[in-house]
Amino acid sequence: MEKMTRVSAGLGSASVAGKTMFCHLDAPANAISVCRDAAQVVVAGRNIFKIYTLEEDGFVERLNLRVGRKPSLNFSCADVMWHQMDENLLATAATNGAVVTWNLGRSCRNKQEQLFTEHKRTVNKVCFHPTEVHILLSGSQDGFMKCFDLRKKESVSTFSGQSESVRDVQFSMKDYFTFAASFENGNVQLWDIRRPDRYERMFTAHTGPVFCCDWHPDDRGWLATGGRDKMVKVWDMTTNRAKEIYCVQTIASVARVKWRPERKWHLATCSMMVDHNIYVWDIRRPYIPFATFEEHKDVTTGIVWRHQHDPQVLLSGSKDSTLYQHAFKDASRPIDRANPEGLCFGLLGDLAFAAKESLVGGEAGRKPYPTGDRRHPIFFFKKPDVTEQFAQVSSVLNVFESPAGGGGAAGLMDWFVQTAQLYLLSGKPFAELCDHNAKVAKQLNRPQVSTTWTMLRIMFSEPANLSSSSANHNFSKLGTLPLMNSFSMKELSSVLNERNKENRQDNIHSLETNINNNDVENEETEGSEGQAEYVFGDAELDDDDLYSMEHDNQTVEEQDYALPQEAFPLRHEIMDHPSAPEPLEKAESPHVSGSEAESVCVCLTPSESVSLISVSQLLFPPNLPPPFFCPVVKEMLSYYAEQGDVQMAVSVLIVLGERIRKEIDDLTQEHWYMSYIDLLQRFELWNVSNEVIKLSTCAAISCLNQTSTTLHINCSNCKRPLNNRGWICDRCHQCASVCAVCHHVVRGLFVWCQGCGHGGHLEHMRSWLRDNTHCPTGCGHLCEYT
Amino acid sequence: MSVSADGLASSCSCRVCSVCQKTLCDKEADICIPGHYTPGPSSFIPEHEIIEAWSVEPWPVDPHTELLLAEFCSPSGRLDHLTQVMGLHPHYLQSFLRSQVYLLRRDGPLPLHYRHYIAIMAAARHQCWFLVSLHIQEFYRLGVCSDWLHGLKHANQKLRNLNDLNKILAHRPWLITKEHIENLVKTGEHSWSLAELVHAVVLLAHFHALASFVFGSGINPETPTPTSTYCSCEINGNNQPEQDVLLSSSPESELECLMERMKRLQEEKEEEEATEEEMFTRFEKEKEESLLVGSGVFNDKVTLSSRVSRFVEDDSFGYQDFARQGEDNPPTFRAQDYSWEDHGFSLVNRLYSDIGLLLDEKFRTVCDLTYYNMASHEGVDTSMLRRALFNYVHCMYGIRYDDYDYGEVNQLLERSLKVYIKTVTCYPERTTRRMYDSYWHQFRHSEKVHVNLLLMEARMQAELLYTLRAITQYMT
């Protein structure tokens, strides 16, 4: 009874004194535990073992348990636990394998009561029975769990985990006899304390060690486990097979997990490495932590809720030698800083957009899917729980994809045929070929291919070539160049709050990655060596700034890059972007007009655009040697070939010619050529196929034109085969192929009637048959010329 | 530029071990026979034993590993000697190959030629021509930057920066501090990213340890070089120094003794527990004793042949004992505060994904590998012996396990074995056939290779622990 009153008093004080405070310890802490009355906390570590009292405005050291001249390894604690029934009783797990109990009621300085040295290896965990005073459980590296009755000198029972190290043991809060043990091999076992011979149940919870587990304080069937695989999982143990009901993915291996009192869905975690924060998760929203405590400077090793009925105060010990009390009201809430909208360009010109459902789903009237678009709602939450002060977020993800695009993903091969016909592979200067092909690709809605051509042009054009041709002409053509992807963001809501800025930042990032992908080459040209630079325009950076940069450049390399300002047609560029943006615009417009507060409108209208990003070929130093790019281009070609777009690979190969040919081995080249030619012939693009064969530099390919080019002909007089020469018969010594019109021997194209066998020069026959219908020889046959 | 892999190899002097050198001096005679070459993969182990192990049917390795083998050995078309010897333990070979292939061939932060060059650098620290030549070939095959093969001076600055870490890691890993990491990672033209650094560190540790294995098992070079890596006295097997005979009274009793001790320790465990102070002193004693072991006379400088030395800078930096009398020793590394399972794994896996899993599997395999055999005895639990070997290596590197009684080491590992362990782990290039032969006369060669595997992995883990701890400190 007396105890009970103290408890309530303790609770009262705890809820009053719940402010964030800390104190320095002398040494790193390994574990902490709190007394039942929530007024004292014990800190244990390799070189520390102290009890602190929690005062209203700070920690006060009450007792140092580490006594003796030369403290033994028994003081080197891996874990500590304060008994939840008896406030004088403590237990520690020592790194040398000892389990020690301490009685604070002892009058002498040394409070050590009992020492159990039964474990052979480090003891990782000790745990008192929640309701039974004398029962203590330990779990050790040697794979054994031992149950001690504190009235006896030895363990009463030993549980073998089959030689796998035990990382954590926890008595069930509700079931008197049950405890859970987690193991280094990823298993979790349930034991009945009365049956040491065999576990009740075992299941694999994680890959790699399970560092911790915790029973839900209210719900008897729930067990939370945390492992090295960076996951926290919540298991429902009431069913026959343990069922994973929730899973939280954290960013580092999970060292401790503790359910938050009085909050059914909340649990706190801290990590073992790298990440120093303490997170409180709502398990129903596993993506963003509910609250974060960021005070520690080194990894947090122990967390405990100060009072088992007070959800507001959390205590933590850390390797940075501090002990903290965290008040929940001071926690940072990542959700407040999180950006609820996301926008990202795909590699092939697709666009994904995620936003709160209320923003997107609100417009009932709008036509949900503009042509060719797909919409995937990916996650949403169930009905909001009113008791929680918790922002329930449902989001919708839209993916817009350009209907014709995707490099023929739709199965239509029109693009292939058109590309094949429209591409120019030779006959013009390199730069023009590239430009032309880029334009073709763009018209066919293949932005990636188009960009590739453009990049190639930039890479391999000699600066000298650039300057030689008229600069003006050159750059107006290149107008499409400097901006590879640009979009504008227009702020509708008058409040430009932080979130929006972040959003924008995100977008920039997404673009950045997008660009990288687009370029095929990534880091290598991406400015790491100062050889190529992209300007990532900040939102604040207006056009003038951009221009001024160009001006700078201009002065440096005046001759090469004299450039009128209007050669940067940002707006046109945006307009030029094919169908991808348009559906988006449509999709968003209703809600733009709705102009809800907080909404970030993404629109691609060219008006008032601020260029967020521009890639300018001007910034390339003119002296960059083209061979520098060869490895990149080589990879690019292989990439296209692997993607099935062998057309691109071969076209680039031909256009680049000597520039790249040596980089790719002949066999691959041949393979590509063969595939492409085969494709072309299937589409009956004979001319293109022939052109490709002709332009190919592979011996094996160009000889394709030479095969089956033999015509076996018979003499038109004696009907015998003409073997040696085509125009004179060995047998009858007559000129076989005499033109029926001019009576000269025909060399070159000889056209003849298949009916009568007479013929002659193509031109002569054509003009003859224009006026006559009979054979020119007068054989009386009605020849037809088609 | 035409640089052939072997063309760079300049002539080198024949290696003569210290004992022979003495006798040479005494006799003033030139008995060194250049061109002597023992057949087979190892000069310590008779060829037929290895062939037998490989001809076991069915070959106890899954098809996946066979693929790995095929991939790894395709260039030369045959298995290298190292793999052949390691094949005595096919289970281990499996996880070894898996991690090695991952390190050298699969996706990773470092470009392929860097990886082989780092391997060369690491092996060169121990003058392990076997590994150096192997990776020179691999490097050469990649066909880039072949002028780097002229020596470290010709490599780029970034790799040269790594040299410092390489030498410390190879010889005195406990000296690594976060400043070393900082120097490499800090922004600059030749800086390393953390992921690259972790990859490099794993490579370094892997090849340092592998060099230990190569020397410890007496792996023969792939191509019979005019000069054997091992002194001719070892190869001939004669010239057994008399001290061995004195040491062990009779080979039969040696084994019995060891078995007896293991049994006794097992029983003792149940009863008596040593006090803290005793445990502490036992560790200290082992640590200090390890100094005396073998670190006798190294007056002879192992002359570096130029073909290896071009990859080594500052070759005077060698092994020094962790604990040195009368000096400020670095603090003992507490295994419980930074363990591979908890901390090392997480860090490695974070920065270089999946390597953690592979290494973890490898460590696990080597620690759990047992055939329940000891020499002629069967059904023996050797876990105690294995743990003693593993922990003794860590002890020499100043890593202490709170829950281990270092008295066991003393009981289980005889002096000649300790000498061997210390030589193989700390300065493997000094390993001689005599050392190999002088311990555990009863035991099979495959068991000695098993010992080597344990030593190699323990060493690798120790190096990793020290470096990863420094990286962790740098990151926090």
Side-chain angles (χ1 to χ4, degrees), chain B residues 124-155:
Chain B
R125 276 311 321 177
H126 287 307
Q127 299 140 45
C128 181
W129 175 242
F130 175 85
L131 291 172
V132 170
S133 63
L134 197 69
H135 287 280
I136 284 180
Q137 276 177 32
E138 296 268 352
F139 188 93
Y140 188 68
R141 197 169 287 131
L142 290 173
V144 275
C145 310
S146 41
D147 53 325
W148 291 7
L149 292 179
H150 287 299
L152 196 56
K153 287 193 182 61
H154 299 266

Side-chain angles (χ1 to χ4, degrees), chain A residues 452-499:
Chain A
T452 310
W453 281 112
T454 312
M455 293 300 298
L456 284 173
R457 204 200 64 80
I458 297 172
M459 284 177 188
F460 288 94
S461 285
E462 304 281 329
N465 293 348
L466 282 180
S467 56
S468 68
S469 59
S470 135
N472 224 338
H473 160 77
N474 215 348
F475 287 110
S476 57
K477 252 196 146 176
L478 295 187
T480 53
L481 254 191
L483 280 174
M484 298 176 42
N485 266 304
S486 63
F487 67 99
S488 65
M489 297 193 53
K490 197 166 132 194
E491 201 55 61
L492 270 205
S493 63
S494 50
V495 220
L496 177 79
N497 53 17
E498 203 182 73
R499 171 174 309 173

